Structure formats: C-alpha cells, structure tokens
Amino acid sequence: MRILVSVGSKHGSTAEIGRGIADVLVSQGVEATTAAPADVTGLDPYDGVVLGSSVYAGHWTADARDLVDRCRSQFAGRYVWLFSSGPIGDPPKPEEDPVDVASIMEATGARSHMVFAGKLDRKVLSFGERAIVTAFRAPDGDFRDWDEIRGWATQIAEELKASI
C-alpha cells in the first residue's frame, strides 16, 4: 500500500503532525510519502491519502482545499482520511469542526475526520495574526497530543493491513 500524506500548514506545526503520521505508517509497514498540497499533481501513484490542514478562522488552508478541487475525481476508490489541527488551550477551543470539513469529506469520500489540538507560537505570527490571537486571548503553547496522533496513525495502518 502506498499512502500520500499531504498537509496544508501555515507555520509548520501541522506539517510536523503529518510527518509524525507518515513515520508511524512506515513503522507499521505502510509505504508513506509526504508532499505539500501544492506539489501534488495527481493521486495515481497512491492507494490512499491522509490529508490534513491547519485551521484559521474556521477554515482549512487554501492549498489543502485546492488539492481537493484539483484531484476531486481521483479520490474515488482510494482510502482517504482527513485531519484538522487548530484548537488550542486546555481544554482545546474551538470545539466545533472547521466550516469546510463536511464538503471536503463529501468530495474525497473520507473514511473519517480527526481534529487534533494545535500549537500557537506568537513569535512566528504576522502582525495581523498576532492582533487576532491577542483579541481572542488565545494562549501560547504546544497543545498537540502526540500519543493521540500516533494512535490515530496506528489505526490507519491497521485498517490498511486488514484490507489487503
């Protein structure tokens, strides 16, 4: 099984989640390749896709949404899983799914969608982004739960192995 892991990530922390997922898949005997959404020209080489995105103002990144639009007809017949990263704090907020996930699930035929807590480092934000997180009193910190991420990736590997 060849799986593509592609992640829309504005500041890199969601891409780190994607690399972590790919590492787990490989450790479980699944051939996994990582590529930025803009670099994906087609899904032909892959049996499945793990597609993720950071979430800003309730939406996936434009490059992840563009990949879905570009490859819309190619998702059929492939294993697809989605994840979003963005909620921060303890407990993580916001609790609701990103606005565009329902349409992305429909377009890709995804088996599931997972929401992982994210990371906020004000030092890497633009002036406008810092203003927004300040207005919302968003807490700095790394809220990602790596055990949860690895567990989800392991479940994907188990599903793939069971389908062979």
Side-chain angles (χ1 to χ4, degrees):
M1 287 276 176
R2 290 194 62 195
I3 302 299
L4 169 66
V5 179
S6 187
V7 179
S9 182
K10 196 166 183 181
H11 297 293
S13 63
T14 306
E16 290 173 354
I17 292 173
R19 285 189 297 276
I21 290 169
D23 289 347
V24 169
L25 293 174
V26 168
S27 75
Q28 297 290 317
V30 176
E31 187 179 343
T33 302
T34 59
D39 296 335
V40 177
T41 57
L43 303 180
D44 285 342
Y46 306 104
D47 302 299
V49 179
V50 175
L51 179 60
S53 179
S54 52
V55 177
Y56 292 91
H59 294 276
W60 270 31
T61 61
D63 60 344
R65 293 190 318 264
D66 289 346
L67 184 151
V68 171
D69 291 340
R70 245 187 352 269
C71 298
R72 183 175 299 268
S73 65
Q74 297 176 45
F75 286 102
R78 287 184 169 76
Y79 301 97
V80 180
W81 294 267
L82 306 177
F83 76 89
S84 300
S85 173
I88 54 175
D90 189 16
K93 299 266 190 241
E95 294 176 7
E96 54 279 335
D97 279 347
V99 174
D100 35 24
V101 163
S103 64
I104 293 170
M105 284 199 67
E106 184 178 332
T108 61
R111 297 161 96 62
S112 67
H113 170 250
M114 188 71 167
V115 177
F116 297 118
K119 175 181 174 182
L120 177 62
D121 180 357
R122 289 176 201 272
K123 294 180 293 212
V124 302
L125 302 179
S126 69
F127 175 78
E129 291 168 330
R130 281 193 309 272
I132 291 168
V133 298
T134 299
F136 283 103
R137 295 191 172 114
D140 271 19
D142 189 344
F143 301 96
R144 297 172 294 179
D145 183 336
W146 289 102
D147 288 336
E148 179 183 40
I149 294 163
R150 286 187 290 270
W152 187 66
T154 299
Q155 288 176 350
I156 291 172
E158 289 169 358
E159 282 185 52
L160 289 168
K161 287 190 243 178
S163 70
I164 297 175

